[in-house]
Amino acid sequence: MRRVYLDHAATTPVDPEVAELMAQVLREVPGNPSSIYAEGRRARALVDRARGEVAGAIGADPAEIVFTSGGTEADNLALRGVLKAREGEADGIVTTAIEHHAVLDTAHDLEAHGQARVTVLLVDRTGRVSPDAVRAALDDRTAIVSVMHGNNEIGTLQPIGLIGAICRERGIAFHSDAVQTVGALDIDVRALPVDLLSVNAHKFYGPKGVGALYVRRGTRIATVQTGGGQEKGRRTGTENVAGIAGLGAAMRIAATKRVAESARQARLRDALIAGIRRTIPDATLTGHPSDRLPNNASFCFSGTQGEALVVSLDLEGFSASSGSACTSGDTEPSHVLLALGLERELAQGSLRLTVGRDTTDADVEALVAALARIVARLRAASGTPVPA
Amino acid sequence: MQTAEDAYSAAALDHLTRPRNPGTLAEPSGTGADANPSCGDRTTITLRVDGGRIAEMRFRTFGCTAAIAAASVLTELAGGLPVDEAAQLEPADILNALGGLPPRKEPCALMAIGALRAALIDARVRAST
């Protein structure tokens, strides 16, 4: 059966050019970038080139890019690194209820160990955090504000320019997890007042297990792991040369495709939303109606449960995900869906569809038709009256 | 690739895509419901008893694949049985009929049995009053 992959927010397939480059690096560049002889210099050159590619794509200086093992490590480094650098001076973390666990759990872990005071800001029903709420939460001991750029579940974009400007006025470090938006939206740190920005290669057709943290020059940040001192001591450990080369190439390719591809994906997203609303009129769109990731269509369907939606779609050849996993024992609709103020039972019927470079109009039409049948069947089984 | 086919048996997936006896009976002899408070799933069973046997049975389930499949297959297992035999059905019977469920989904079989037993008790109470 032909599969239609509609879970690009979870991960994207590696671009063939990226895969080819990485294979070549693994085969032909055995050196350690820290070695001063020829093999090492060759590896170093690849890492340097990738650093330039990542920096160039977001308007940064190459020295401001720190390679990591992915988005989670970048988020950890941002929060833990800034808190550690400000130890004894500032300990406040201000963040939002819809952050990725990599941010929220890190903040709460720091708090649990007495290393931070955490303020979690609520969002409105569209998933937006108010810049005024950020301003009101700041105090003299706030060390860092962390607000994600685009939400991975519901797609809502945050006003990070406004929030960053507020932080800059107060001299407070501003971090944004931009894992969902790098490669999809125009991000230029020369114009955007962000001090730390998390990047994850596998969200834009690069490999898994590699990412980066942009650290604006002058931002006070300490290392959180100790060792050989790579990445100017900010993230020690022998560089993942092939992965970093892949990240750089993926970033460069994404930058060339971005404008046309994001517009094309936004059109497919809008077709998905319109098609689902036509065939399932009481579907609840989650996230912001217009200010959302160009590839994200997320919904809740009353009378259905997310796991049954995902399994039913899988049987018909569609890959999608739900923010309400049922593992019978510890099931909760995701913290993001609950933060929107959705009724718990409605939040259980969540479905996230995220299109990508390989998604076609025909895929969208097929999904809309299959989903309407599946929702009707699950509602018949649950005895949910369908509003006229 | 891990797909639905790997996680669930063919029988369970068949009950998801072709639920048996979904709905509610208009004039049941008994109605029973059970829920799994930890995940919010719930199943309601209505049945009609005739001559000491379950003559008809319907289920309603709001829940995951396992919860739907367990209730659906239970209507096949219990339908036509004498009520005292139906009352002896256990979660293991559902798991056997489905060719197993993923281990963490086994409580879904218990929920279906709970709803059936509640419906049988309701039918007995109503018959005696």
Side-chain angles (χ1 to χ4, degrees), chain A residues 56-85:
Chain A
I58 60 170
D61 186 273
E64 296 175 310
I65 302 300
V66 178
F67 292 121
T68 68
S69 64
T72 293
E73 191 192 333
D75 288 344
N76 268 267
L77 178 56
L79 268 60
R80 293 180 191 277
V82 167
L83 265 285
K84 194 173 169 192

Side-chain angles (χ1 to χ4, degrees), chain A residues 3 5 11 47 61-62 79 88 95 102 112 151 171 184 195 200 237 239 249 265 299 314 333 342 358 365:
Chain A
R3 302 283 308 177
Y5 184 77
T11 193
V47 171
D61 186 273
L79 268 60
T95 187
N151 184 269
D195 301 308
N200 196 352
E239 297 86 343
Q265 290 186 19
F299 284 92
D314 188 14
L342 291 173
D358 56 344
E365 280 173 35

Side-chain angles (χ1 to χ4, degrees), chain A residues 1 3 307 310-319, chain B residues 1-9 13 102:
Chain A
M1 189 199 300
R3 302 283 308 177
E307 189 264 14
V310 169
V311 171
S312 299
L313 283 168
D314 188 14
L315 284 172
E316 300 207 20
F318 299 94
S319 306
Chain B
M1 191 195 309
Q2 170 87 8
T3 62
E5 285 87 344
D6 302 319
Y8 285 109
S9 67
L13 294 174

Side-chain angles (χ1 to χ4, degrees), chain A residues 169-195:
Chain A
E169 268 172 36
R170 299 281 301 259
I172 293 167
F174 177 52
H175 167 248
S176 187
D177 178 337
V179 156
Q180 292 290 336
T181 52
V182 168
L185 299 180
D186 180 25
I187 294 174
D188 187 336
V189 297
R190 287 167 297 198
L192 192 65
V194 62
D195 301 308

Side-chain angles (χ1 to χ4, degrees), chain A residues 307 314 326 331 345 348 380-381, chain B residues 4 8 39 60-62 65 105:
Chain A
E307 189 264 14
D314 188 14
C326 170
T331 306
E345 187 163 311
Q348 287 192 324
Chain B
Y8 285 109
C39 63
R60 290 282 201 212
T61 294
F62 171 77
T65 301
K105 296 286 189 179

Side-chain angles (χ1 to χ4, degrees), chain A residues 104-177:
Chain A
L104 273 180
D105 291 11
T106 300
H108 287 133
D109 184 59
L110 285 162
E111 185 174 54
H113 288 87
Q115 296 165 295
R117 292 172 301 126
V118 178
T119 304
V120 177
L121 301 175
L122 301 180
V123 295
D124 66 19
R125 285 191 76 86
T126 70
R128 292 262 269 192
V129 61
S130 140
D132 288 338
V134 173
R135 188 194 305 275
L138 302 179
D139 63 35
D140 292 340
R141 288 180 59 86
T142 304
I144 187 168
V145 172
S146 181
V147 178
M148 74 194 324
H149 192 190
N151 184 269
N152 50 307
E153 287 188 42
I154 58 173
T156 299
L157 298 175
Q158 301 297 344
I160 61 169
L162 293 172
I163 294 169
I166 291 166
C167 295
R168 182 162 290 181
E169 268 172 36
R170 299 281 301 259
I172 293 167
F174 177 52
H175 167 248
S176 187
D177 178 337

